[in-house]
Amino acid sequence: LVEKGYNSQKLEAFYNCVDFKEFEKIESNYFKEKYKINEKHFLIGMVGNFTKVKDQITLIKAIAIVVKKRPNIRCVFVGRKSAENGSSSFYDICNTFVKESNLNDIVFFEGASLRVKKFLTEIDLFAFATKHETFGIAGIEKFAKYKE
């Protein structure tokens, strides 16, 4: 901004930070136990409210293809399910596809959760299917436990 002529005295940066030390202490099997996911499974996870921009349906469609060759895959979505305006929600579209594709034992919907940090420590792969995102903090948080 300074290069564009803005006064540096009037600018201040606010960082979107992650406290990596918080993740060092987290040990959890909450989600794996809840959805009966064991050590034989490969758990993919995504965090984000169900909206067209977050595009969870693309990941679900990919899972439908991959599971044919890798039946040990499981996927859990964490995020608010309901539409803000009361209309049919993007979650409904995703849930219908899961049912019609017989993925009920493969793809799970947690809904909004206060256990996001625990969730991120349990998953094997963090997926980020969003069409565009300014800064996906959940992706950074996924790596916080494994910062080596």
Side-chain angles (χ1 to χ4, degrees), residues 15-107:
Y15 298 97
N16 201 352
C17 65
V18 174
D19 184 356
F20 282 39
K21 290 181 183 176
E22 278 184 36
F23 286 86
E24 291 174 2
K25 304 171 198 160
I26 297 175
E27 294 297 329
S28 177
N29 283 314
Y30 172 83
F31 293 92
K32 288 182 177 180
E33 289 173 5
K34 181 175 182 177
Y35 297 109
K36 297 177 176 59
I37 297 168
N38 61 46
E39 64 279 346
K40 296 177 191 171
H41 295 121
F42 185 83
L43 180 56
I44 299 169
M46 182 172 170
V47 176
N49 295 330
F50 280 81
T51 64
K52 287 181 182 177
V53 171
K54 296 291 185 186
D55 198 25
Q56 289 92 338
I57 193 71
T58 295
L59 178 56
I60 296 168
K61 288 177 179 178
I63 297 280
I65 295 167
V66 172
V67 76
K68 292 173 185 172
K69 291 190 177 189
R70 303 282 187 218
N72 66 325
I73 286 182
R74 298 296 180 268
C75 184
V76 177
F77 290 91
V78 173
R80 188 172 46 81
K81 297 177 183 179
S82 62
E84 291 182 15
N85 60 7
S87 66
S88 179
S89 70
F90 193 64
Y91 163 77
D92 293 332
I93 294 166
C94 293
N95 191 36
T96 298
F97 184 86
V98 166
K99 288 178 182 177
E100 290 174 355
S101 303
N102 296 316
L103 295 172
N104 293 345
D105 295 332
I106 307 294
V107 176

